[in-house]
Amino acid sequence: MIQISKVEYELKDEEIALLLQDVHDIYGYNFNDYARPSLKRRINRLFSLNRFAGFLDFRLRVREDPNYFRYFVEEITVNVTEMFRDPHFYRCLREEVLPVLATYPFIRIWHAGCSSGEEVYSMAILLKEAGLLERSLLYATDINPAVLEKLRKGIFPLRYMKQYSENYIQSGGLHDFSRYYTAKYDWAKFDEQLSGRMVISTHNLVSDRSFNEFQLILCRNVLIYFDKELQNRVLQLFEDSLEPLGFLALGAKESLKYSVIAPKYKQLPNRQKIWRKVK
């Protein structure tokens, strides 16, 4: 007897549009300009994973259960990060950007779309080793409250520390990486002196406005999930938030080329994705 496998139901484009409209109307989160193919894959994955009987059940759960909605946001936003990710990028920050920031009496850095904060802690370590941490503030923002809670706790799986330590050394790290955390059971808790210089808050790059002026803005591997129009809107937000001669850092597959703000910026001559505001 031939068995016919069950074909999983995939949400229609109009159903996803309805769901995203609900999310916007009820919770104020606007995902409408996110790159639709990847967003659609993540929503369908969640729909299948949670075994809803149909779209109406899924929609009702998102609309009426705030706890499930928080889970929904956590699952459909991308939270892939690590400490000192792309070590040569951090070496460039250490050698070319921090000496410039050291000339300011007070340093403000914005990590936009920071996820669970591994890169924020990486920056805090760079600043500490440059003797700049005590006169710096690191603003760490993300749309997802759940990942920000992980950042606040500063506790990460101990099994990741070997890779993070290797990244740190390749980035030009000056000490034994283990000096920055305390190991307990399967977890590593990072020094509260690092988190003490962080301002942690939810921020929606799609709908929220500029809230300060910064000398350095980092938004790495976030824009790749936005469509071109939204990318330009977010880049304009960064332009409005960056001081003259400030620095803007993006992810390895992201660029200012052909963007609305490109004429005002010059890329550093190191092949890393760091630009300086020159106009």
Side-chain angles (χ1 to χ4, degrees), residues 144-162:
N144 185 341
V147 296
L148 291 179
E149 192 55 38
K150 295 178 183 178
L151 191 163
R152 284 190 182 92
K153 292 177 180 177
I155 299 173
F156 302 97
L158 189 61
R159 66 182 182 275
Y160 295 159
M161 293 306 116
K162 182 177 183 296

Side-chain angles (χ1 to χ4, degrees), residues 1 7 23-24 34 53 101 135-136 139 145 175 186 220 238 252:
M1 181 178 178
V7 178
V23 166
H24 182 258
Y34 279 55
L101 298 187
R135 56 186 172 103
S136 301
Y139 292 77
H175 304 290
D186 295 329
R220 306 184 67 219
F238 294 155

Side-chain angles (χ1 to χ4, degrees), residues 209-262:
R209 298 181 179 180
S210 174
F211 59 92
N212 212 324
E213 272 201 325
F214 303 92
Q215 291 94 27
L216 170 61
I217 298 175
L218 302 97
C219 184
R220 306 184 67 219
N221 307 301
V222 175
L223 296 182
I224 53 174
Y225 299 105
F226 297 167
D227 67 18
K228 189 66 177 177
E229 181 182 348
L230 181 53
Q231 287 178 14
N232 277 322
R233 294 214 314 263
V234 173
L235 289 173
Q236 186 61 57
L237 170 66
F238 294 155
E239 159 68 15
D240 296 340
S241 306
L242 198 63
E243 286 190 2
L245 300 179
F247 297 90
L248 175 60
L250 302 179
K253 295 181 180 179
E254 298 164 336
S255 177
L256 292 189
K257 196 173 183 180
Y258 306 124
S259 73
V260 291
I261 69 170

Side-chain angles (χ1 to χ4, degrees), residues 20-267:
L20 295 180
Q21 191 61 50
D22 288 343
V23 166
H24 182 258
D25 292 344
I26 298 170
Y27 300 100
Y29 285 69
N30 188 351
F31 292 104
N32 287 312
D33 294 325
Y34 279 55
R36 191 53 61 98
S38 61
L39 186 61
K40 183 178 178 180
R41 283 196 301 273
R42 281 175 267 148
I43 291 174
N44 269 304
R45 173 188 169 275
L46 189 59
F47 176 77
S48 174
L49 189 67
N50 293 164
R51 299 181 179 277
F52 287 99
F55 170 67
L56 291 179
D57 288 342
F58 186 30
R59 184 185 183 190
L60 192 66
R61 186 74 180 277
V62 172
R63 286 175 60 93
E64 298 189 358
D65 185 343
N67 289 326
Y68 184 80
F69 171 72
R70 285 192 288 272
Y71 167 71
F72 173 85
V73 171
E74 186 171 358
E75 289 299 313
I76 70 168
T77 53
V78 179
N79 301 297
V80 178
T81 185
E82 63 183 41
M83 289 189 182
F84 295 94
R85 185 180 188 181
D86 305 324
H88 295 296
F89 167 83
Y90 281 93
R91 182 179 285 275
C92 179
L93 287 178
R94 187 190 295 274
E95 295 176 353
E96 300 189 40
V97 176
L98 291 195
V100 177
L101 298 187
T103 65
Y104 291 87
F106 193 77
I107 302 165
R108 293 182 300 277
I109 298 172
W110 181 15
H111 286 264
C114 67
S115 187
S116 45
E118 284 86 340
E119 295 200 10
V120 190
Y121 278 94
S122 303
M123 177 60 70
I125 290 170
L126 288 188
L127 291 166
K128 183 174 177 59
E129 293 187 354
L132 301 175
L133 183 61
E134 291 306 313
R135 56 186 172 103
S136 301
L137 275 182
L138 291 81
Y139 292 77
T141 68
D142 199 276
I143 192 175
N144 185 341
V147 296
L148 291 179
E149 192 55 38
K150 295 178 183 178
L151 191 163
R152 284 190 182 92
K153 292 177 180 177
I155 299 173
F156 302 97
L158 189 61
R159 66 182 182 275
Y160 295 159
M161 293 306 116
K162 182 177 183 296
Q163 179 62 57
Y164 293 173
S165 178
E166 291 173 1
N167 290 351
Y168 165 76
I169 292 167
Q170 291 177 38
S171 76
L174 304 178
H175 304 290
D176 184 341
F177 185 63
S178 64
R179 73 182 296 176
Y180 294 113
Y181 65 86
T182 302
K184 189 172 183 180
Y185 302 112
D186 295 329
W187 300 95
K189 179 168 175 52
F190 276 76
D191 190 339
E192 291 183 1
Q193 186 182 20
L194 302 175
S195 58
R197 305 306 300 170
M198 299 175 190
V199 179
I200 302 167
S201 178
T202 55
H203 183 276
N204 188 338
L205 289 171
V206 177
S207 57
D208 292 342
R209 298 181 179 180
S210 174
F211 59 92
N212 212 324
E213 272 201 325
F214 303 92
Q215 291 94 27
L216 170 61
I217 298 175
L218 302 97
C219 184
R220 306 184 67 219
N221 307 301
V222 175
L223 296 182
I224 53 174
Y225 299 105
F226 297 167
D227 67 18
K228 189 66 177 177
E229 181 182 348
L230 181 53
Q231 287 178 14
N232 277 322
R233 294 214 314 263
V234 173
L235 289 173
Q236 186 61 57
L237 170 66
F238 294 155
E239 159 68 15
D240 296 340
S241 306
L242 198 63
E243 286 190 2
L245 300 179
F247 297 90
L248 175 60
L250 302 179
K253 295 181 180 179
E254 298 164 336
S255 177
L256 292 189
K257 196 173 183 180
Y258 306 124
S259 73
V260 291
I261 69 170
K264 298 182 179 182
Y265 289 77
K266 183 176 181 180
Q267 189 171 5

